[in-house]
Amino acid sequence: MATPDNFIVAIEIGSSKVTAIAGKKEPDGGIKVLALAQEPSTTFIRKGRINNINKMSQCILNIKERLEKKLQKNICRVYVGIGGMGMHTVANTIVRNLGSKMEVTQEMIDSISDENRTSAFKLGTQLQNEPVGMLTESIEGRYLNIVANSSVKEEIRNCFHSANVAIADLPITVQALADTMLTESERRSGCVFIDMGAETTSVAVYKNNLLRHLATIPLGGANINRDIMSLQIEDDEAEKLKLMYGTAIADNEDETQAAAIQLNDGRSVKFEEFCGLVEAREEEIVMNINNQITLSKYTKESLIGGLIVTGGASNMRNIKKLFETVTGFDKIRFVRNINLQVRPPKDVPDFNRDGSFFAAIALIDKGTENCCGGDLGTAQPQIFPTEEQKAEEERKRLEEEERLREEERKREEEEAERLRLEEEQRLAEEKKKKRSEGFRKFFNKMKKTLGDLVEEKE
């Protein structure tokens, strides 16, 4: 059973804010929120990627301090959701021909799986998700690898290194969200999960309970704000006007009858001009989403579960109508909650009203390791090595490399000596063989000569 000394800490790195929750899993499967914190991130996170290590490191320190003060416990490790621009899936297939009908073992599966995420296995002409124990002459592993820029993890690790906080794991945020928002029926029958964020939109296609396609589009709600700001409007006012007047598809009646929009500085903007900016960007985002559905090679006929849409940027008026028009899907569900029992702190009555904590809650649900580092104020071990320790580790590494090189040199010398001796023995054998052959020929010749002499005498 979870105790105050046993909790999980999850951090979501978002383009508008960094969100953190410390919570514990309760016996009934619910999550009790013990502490929470948020920090704005627009100055150092762009499209889900860290672009200022120092600011991000300071943000982590601030969040850690706020959580620890509330918990009165040290935090030694955290779960960090990973996502952002460039993340996508790549399909891969590996075939093993067994020669004869054999039973599939776990060792066979492991040997072709490596670090891939398995989609399905094809045995002969049958598809199986659990092939162990079946008889087949060939096995084909179909994989879906989730890839991103190699620097993404390194950037995150460097920031948490600076804060002396270990990373327990790096779950993929959109997958964690999908697991808490999709129903079993939707995942099985096929659906498209769409998370519309501030600067990125993630699209995940599921079929037969497996992820089939994933991509992160570098477009989101902040792009609409920047378009509105082209009217010489500040970001805060642009966000406010977007929520008040923005629509994904403006009705003709609205455009002809709506009054001009009044700005804080006394100016006014025509309603149709304002809506034109919003519509154009919303249409671009949804068209990119539809393109990813096309690239997945699944159609609305095979994705019976339809579209499941979440995220702050999905709160636009008439956005369902835009999705229907662009994608052709008529089954669309907008998610404003998760399938987890969450118990918020009593002193935070409006907890998660805007849904900004959903991802962090979903990440906690994925966590298994205790993140508590003991009572606040107690000395904490140095998680990451000091410069002196790094230098010592480097010295030992170099010594080990030299030792391995010396062993390899000795093995090469021994192998060369073995080959030399084998060559000498081979040459000696050949020489002996040639000598024996010479004696045999001489003997046969003498035998023939003596035979001829006997015949002549007779």
Side-chain angles (χ1 to χ4, degrees):
M1 181 179 295
T3 69
D5 291 322
N6 191 336
F7 55 79
I8 296 169
V9 178
I11 296 180
E12 182 213 0
I13 302 175
S15 299
S16 61
K17 59 181 76 73
V18 175
T19 303
I21 286 183
K24 64 177 182 178
K25 297 181 181 180
E26 300 198 307
D28 63 354
I31 293 176
K32 183 176 182 180
V33 178
L34 303 174
L36 53 95
Q38 279 187 327
E39 291 272 331
S41 63
T42 53
T43 61
F44 55 88
I45 302 291
R46 186 67 192 275
K47 299 189 184 302
R49 293 284 304 276
I50 300 169
N51 61 15
N52 189 310
I53 298 289
N54 292 334
K55 288 186 177 181
M56 180 65 201
S57 299
Q58 186 59 50
C59 174
I60 295 168
L61 287 171
N62 294 343
I63 284 177
K64 180 173 180 284
E65 182 180 351
R66 289 170 61 187
L67 292 179
E68 288 180 336
K69 185 177 180 180
K70 176 69 175 179
L71 295 166
Q72 288 298 297
K73 300 288 181 182
N74 288 313
I75 294 171
C76 62
R77 63 176 63 87
V78 297
Y79 287 84
V80 184
I82 189 170
M85 180 178 64
M87 181 172 287
H88 63 284
T89 50
V90 177
N92 185 34
T93 300
I94 298 176
V95 179
R96 291 285 186 272
N97 292 312
L98 306 178
S100 60
K101 186 162 284 191
M102 299 174 61
E103 180 180 342
V104 177
T105 64
Q106 188 59 50
E107 288 72 19
M108 290 182 189
I109 302 301
D110 293 341
S111 70
I112 64 174
S113 292
D114 297 326
E115 296 179 359
N116 290 293
R117 179 180 177 83
T118 304
S119 259
F121 287 93
K122 185 178 180 182
L123 306 178
T125 58
Q126 301 179 44
L127 282 175
Q128 297 290 336
N129 289 332
E130 297 180 359
V132 176
M134 301 192 69
L135 296 176
T136 184
E137 294 180 352
S138 66
I139 180 168
E140 178 181 299
R142 298 181 180 180
Y143 304 95
L144 195 67
N145 300 322
I146 300 175
V147 299
N149 191 302
S150 59
S151 64
V152 172
K153 284 188 177 181
E154 189 64 26
E155 291 165 355
I156 293 174
R157 293 188 187 281
N158 287 341
C159 292
F160 282 85
H161 185 155
S162 299
N164 197 38
V165 179
I167 296 177
D169 197 10
L170 291 163
I172 296 172
T173 303
V174 66
Q175 281 191 295
L177 270 174
D179 287 346
T180 59
M181 290 185 171
L182 298 180
T183 66
E184 179 68 20
S185 174
E186 287 168 339
R187 291 167 63 93
R188 183 179 61 255
S189 60
C191 67
V192 183
F193 179 72
I194 303 163
D195 180 22
M196 303 181 72
E199 290 196 336
T200 61
T201 298
S202 297
V203 182
V205 178
Y206 287 85
K207 182 71 175 178
N208 296 330
N209 291 318
L210 292 170
L211 178 67
R212 303 295 181 172
H213 180 81
L214 171 66
T216 300
I217 302 165
L219 293 170
N223 295 89
I224 300 174
N225 287 16
R226 284 192 280 271
D227 291 341
I228 298 173
M229 289 167 64
S230 68
L231 300 173
Q232 306 304 311
I233 299 173
E234 291 296 326
D235 188 28
D236 290 345
E237 186 178 4
E239 174 69 16
K240 181 180 177 181
L241 293 174
K242 180 180 71 174
L243 296 176
M244 289 180 62
Y245 302 105
T247 177
I249 295 181
D251 297 327
N252 292 331
E253 186 176 347
D254 289 341
E255 290 188 349
T256 55
Q257 296 183 6
I261 298 173
Q262 298 300 315
L263 306 181
N264 291 342
D265 61 4
R267 292 182 298 127
S268 63
V269 176
K270 291 182 179 180
F271 181 80
E272 58 267 26
E273 181 181 358
F274 176 87
C275 285
L277 290 172
V278 177
E279 284 182 71
R281 184 63 73 178
E282 283 283 13
E283 184 178 11
E284 181 188 15
I285 294 171
V286 176
M287 286 180 69
N288 273 273
I289 292 170
N290 189 53
N291 182 55
Q292 289 302 323
I293 298 172
T294 302
L295 291 175
S296 75
K297 299 181 181 179
Y298 286 89
T299 64
K300 68 175 183 177
E301 288 76 22
S302 59
L303 299 173
I304 302 172
L307 307 183
I308 294 86
V309 188
T310 190
S314 68
N315 294 319
M316 181 72 66
R317 185 163 62 96
N318 283 339
I319 194 167
K320 182 178 180 181
K321 184 178 179 181
L322 178 61
F323 269 108
E324 291 172 342
T325 302
V326 174
T327 68
F329 281 79
D330 50 15
K331 187 174 183 180
I332 303 173
R333 180 169 72 92
F334 287 84
V335 184
R336 307 301 180 208
N337 212 330
I338 56 178
N339 299 325
L340 291 172
Q341 182 65 43
V342 180
R343 300 177 177 91
K346 293 182 180 179
D347 57 348
V348 188
D350 60 345
F351 170 75
N352 203 34
R353 181 171 294 173
D354 61 354
S356 62
F357 284 95
F358 282 151
I361 295 169
L363 293 171
I364 285 181
D365 187 53
K366 293 294 181 186
T368 56
E369 293 187 39
N370 183 17
C371 298
C372 180
D375 292 334
L376 188 63
T378 58
Q380 292 295 294
Q382 181 66 30
I383 297 174
F384 301 99
T386 63
E387 292 302 318
E388 292 77 10
Q389 290 171 329
K390 287 181 180 178
E392 179 63 17
E393 289 178 1
E394 179 66 10
R395 184 186 64 79
K396 290 181 178 179
R397 185 185 67 80
L398 293 174
E399 288 181 351
E400 179 66 11
E401 287 182 354
E402 180 61 29
R403 184 185 67 79
L404 293 174
R405 281 195 296 268
E406 182 64 21
E407 289 182 355
E408 181 64 21
R409 185 184 63 79
K410 288 181 178 180
R411 282 195 295 270
E412 289 176 353
E413 289 179 351
E414 290 173 355
E415 179 66 12
E417 179 64 15
R418 183 184 67 79
L419 293 174
R420 186 187 66 79
L421 292 174
E422 286 183 354
E423 180 65 12
E424 286 183 355
Q425 184 177 1
R426 185 185 66 79
L427 293 173
E429 290 291 334
E430 286 185 358
K431 187 176 181 181
K432 182 179 178 181
K433 184 178 179 181
K434 287 180 180 179
R435 186 181 301 166
S436 298
E437 184 67 24
F439 282 134
R440 186 164 54 253
K441 288 180 178 179
F442 176 77
F443 176 77
N444 289 336
K445 185 177 180 181
M446 289 297 297
K447 182 178 178 182
K448 185 177 183 304
T449 302
L450 291 173
D452 292 343
L453 290 173
V454 170
E455 287 181 359
E456 289 178 3
K457 185 175 181 181
E458 290 177 351

